[in-house]
Amino acid sequence: MSGFIREPEDTAALKPTCNLSALRLCSVNLGQDGCCQLPVTHHYNQPRSLIFGVYGVLAVLVTMGWTFMALVLSHCIILYSVALVKRKWMCFAAGLCTLASIKLEPYNSWQEALVTGSFDLQDILFYGGCGFSIMRCMSFALENCEKKDGNYSFFDLLKYNFYLPFFFFGPIMTFDQYHAQANSTQLTRKDREMWNITTKALLHLGVILVVDVFFHYLYILTIPSDMKLVSKLSDWCLGGLAYFNLVYDWLKAAVMFGVINTVATLDHLDPPQPPKCITMLYVFAETHFDRGINDWLCKYVYDYIGGDHDKIFKELLATICTFAITTLWLGPCELVYIWSFFNCFGLNFELWVAKFFSFPPFSTIEGAMGEGMSRRIRGVFNAANFWAIILYNVLSLNSLEFAKMVGRRLIFKGFPLSTLSVLLVTYCGVQLVKERERQQALLEDPEPVKAADGKEKAE
């Protein structure tokens, strides 16, 4: 839901892999895993979360300095104080105001100036560390409001906030999930789990090399900035360029979160998974760059306000609030406003269309159809939806001018040949994805076939 858009901390993945600061950060994360395996190895399971927190505090202190540490602790103290009141609206107000302080001028420049020293990744680590820290503190505060007896301690917040693999780049685990998993004493591994972790680590290493080659030699990101060159491309090349820009961004995100998740899995945690591949998407509800942020928004905003998401006005209010917070998280600017508006519209438009076709005579006609025919008709709308997702998100990754050119060429100037041929190829791809999802649903739960199909139709 939070869409594909480049965040300030995301640009770290564009740095050369041999960068000294990046290597230092990787070594610190590897030290985290080695140090935190001690309580597991020696069966002292109770202080596991404490060791996570202590190591994270020391690593952040050494990496960023005491002024940055003081700034993060001040955010923690402010939001913990508000959490003790146990009023959700106050927790949201305090959290969003604190988040705005590092996203809006002149407050963000003033806070950034407090951090001394200069190295290659300092600005990225500053905004990533502060931003994710504030979102985690908000999760802590909101979960504390749900706690019936007493309050969580300030040390619970620090242990949660300073878990090093998640600190600078995410993903975010909500406090209730992290607290339960990090303090669990039942530490077991599934069969061949270590083998699977090792395989994923080697796979991520290989993909990192591939991404590095793509970035340096294929010019996927730089071609859209040359509008004279782009204007000479054919309609198919232009559509393919827009598509592969999103694929590249997804691949970069999948690698970054995949590496972090591998370390977290070694610590016996179940972190949010990498984002769903753009090729597998055909609904706006599943479009997100960071699954952790998406889960956070769904739990505390989107699902909380929208309920079961079948009421048009409640859904509209839920999506507006969700994308308002997302806009603040990404950093308010004209491009982010445009991106938020179109993705908010796309999410609501899906519900409007579903509601419209749920009334007679459309519902009667669909009921008389076979499941296969119904899925084919829906695939036509999903194919158009796929390219709406591409156009709405490529403007944030490249530029508004590039997105306009892709839209004009594929929809207007290329009509009917380019438009229909692109939609036909997309339709075939969507049908393959839907068939794969249907088969997976049957394997997971072969009995309630109608319920699974109904869920698919609701999408």
Side-chain angles (χ1 to χ4, degrees):
M1 178 189 304
S2 54
F4 289 81
I5 191 164
R6 182 171 295 116
E7 302 172 32
E9 60 273 12
D10 183 34
T11 55
L14 303 181
K15 300 285 184 181
T17 53
C18 59
N19 186 288
L20 182 60
S21 299
L23 290 175
R24 181 171 62 179
L25 195 61
C26 289
S27 64
V28 170
N29 276 281
L30 290 175
Q32 140 83 24
D33 184 61
C35 178
C36 295
Q37 291 303 312
L38 291 176
V40 179
T41 304
H42 297 287
H43 306 288
Y44 299 130
N45 296 326
Q46 193 59 34
R48 195 162 61 100
S49 62
L50 178 61
I51 293 180
F52 291 164
V54 170
Y55 185 86
V57 168
L58 293 176
V60 172
L61 182 62
V62 171
T63 304
M64 297 296 291
W66 69 270
T67 51
F68 176 81
M69 178 63 71
L71 181 62
V72 173
L73 286 176
S74 68
H75 294 159
C76 293
I77 292 171
I78 291 171
L79 293 176
Y80 179 76
S81 301
V82 177
L84 297 178
V85 183
K86 290 198 171 186
R87 293 290 184 271
K88 286 188 176 182
W89 70 269
M90 292 184 66
C91 296
F92 266 112
L96 295 178
C97 288
T98 308
L99 184 62
S101 71
I102 67 164
K103 297 292 183 179
L104 302 175
E105 291 286 356
Y107 312 106
N108 58 343
S109 298
W110 172 76
Q111 292 184 77
E112 187 177 8
L114 295 175
V115 181
T116 57
S118 60
F119 55 92
D120 293 339
L121 300 180
Q122 178 173 309
D123 57 337
I124 297 168
L125 298 182
F126 172 83
Y127 286 107
C130 286
F132 282 109
S133 177
I134 292 170
M135 298 297 279
R136 282 189 292 267
C137 288
M138 288 179 66
S139 175
F140 173 87
L142 293 169
E143 293 298 333
N144 192 66
C145 293
E146 298 292 335
K147 187 175 174 61
K148 301 299 182 183
D149 50 335
N151 299 285
Y152 292 108
S153 70
F154 184 65
F155 291 105
D156 289 330
L157 172 58
L158 294 182
K159 289 184 290 184
Y160 164 58
N161 188 45
F162 284 98
Y163 178 64
L164 185 62
F166 297 163
F167 185 81
F168 290 110
F169 302 112
I172 293 177
M173 283 182 70
T174 55
F175 175 75
D176 57 327
Q177 293 179 334
Y178 179 84
H179 186 71
Q181 294 178 27
N183 291 284
S184 174
T185 58
Q186 304 298 322
L187 304 179
T188 58
R189 297 281 188 196
K190 299 178 181 178
D191 292 339
R192 298 178 61 83
E193 183 175 357
M194 288 304 300
W195 170 259
N196 293 333
I197 292 174
T198 305
T199 304
K200 287 182 180 179
L202 294 175
L203 177 63
H204 290 140
L205 179 60
V207 175
I208 287 173
L209 297 177
V210 172
V211 170
D212 207 36
V213 171
F214 280 11
F215 178 66
H216 284 94
Y217 297 106
L218 296 186
Y219 307 105
I220 295 175
L221 299 178
T222 55
I223 291 176
S225 62
D226 188 347
M227 297 305 293
K228 290 184 179 180
L229 174 62
V230 169
S231 62
K232 297 178 182 179
L233 298 177
S234 66
D235 296 341
W236 276 89
C237 288
L238 197 60
L241 183 62
Y243 166 73
F244 280 109
N245 264 263
L246 284 182
V247 170
Y248 176 81
D249 198 72
W250 166 80
L251 187 62
K252 187 155 53 63
V255 170
M256 182 176 71
F257 290 124
V259 171
I260 293 172
N261 287 1
T262 300
V263 178
T265 304
L266 287 171
D267 290 334
H268 294 267
L269 298 179
D270 184 19
Q273 295 304 303
K276 192 175 182 179
C277 180
I278 182 67
T279 308
M280 308 288 287
L281 294 176
Y282 51 86
V283 290
F284 277 89
E286 296 182 353
T287 308
H288 50 263
F289 164 79
D290 184 337
R291 197 183 293 267
I293 289 290
N294 183 76
D295 293 346
W296 192 101
L297 289 169
C298 286
K299 179 173 185 178
Y300 299 121
V301 184
Y302 184 61
D303 291 339
Y304 183 78
I305 298 175
D308 51 7
H309 304 291
D310 63 347
K311 302 291 190 299
I312 291 179
F313 292 106
K314 287 184 68 175
E315 179 74 2
L316 181 62
L317 178 62
T319 51
I320 289 175
C321 293
T322 299
F323 279 98
I325 295 176
T326 305
T327 300
L328 180 60
W329 164 251
L330 296 173
C333 66
E334 182 182 3
L335 193 61
V336 174
Y337 295 147
I338 296 172
W339 172 87
S340 294
F341 171 79
F342 280 111
N343 279 273
C344 183
F345 169 77
L347 198 59
N348 281 279
F349 189 70
E350 287 178 346
L351 178 63
W352 300 340
V353 172
K355 279 289 185 184
F356 179 76
F357 283 99
S358 66
F359 296 117
F362 303 107
S363 59
T364 306
I365 295 173
E366 185 179 15
M369 290 181 184
E371 295 178 3
M373 180 58 68
S374 174
R375 191 164 58 251
R376 294 185 191 98
I377 293 176
R378 289 173 179 274
V380 175
F381 293 96
N382 293 144
N385 214 31
F386 176 88
W387 279 100
I389 293 172
I390 295 287
L391 292 176
Y392 291 172
N393 288 282
V394 79
L395 66 89
S396 64
L397 297 177
N398 300 117
S399 66
L400 183 59
E401 290 74 20
F402 178 69
K404 287 180 179 179
M405 178 173 288
V406 175
R408 282 197 302 267
R409 293 279 291 276
L410 292 184
I411 299 175
F412 300 108
K413 291 186 177 181
F415 187 84
L417 183 61
S418 297
T419 304
L420 296 180
S421 58
V422 168
L423 285 177
L424 177 61
V425 173
T426 308
Y427 168 81
C428 295
V430 168
Q431 286 298 326
L432 290 174
V433 173
K434 291 173 77 71
E435 179 62 22
R436 179 175 177 271
E437 291 176 347
R438 187 182 72 86
Q439 291 179 358
Q440 284 183 337
L442 289 175
L443 289 174
E444 292 173 1
D445 196 358
E447 290 299 326
V449 177
K450 293 183 179 180
D453 188 65
K455 183 178 180 181
E456 177 185 311
K457 290 181 180 181
E459 294 177 346

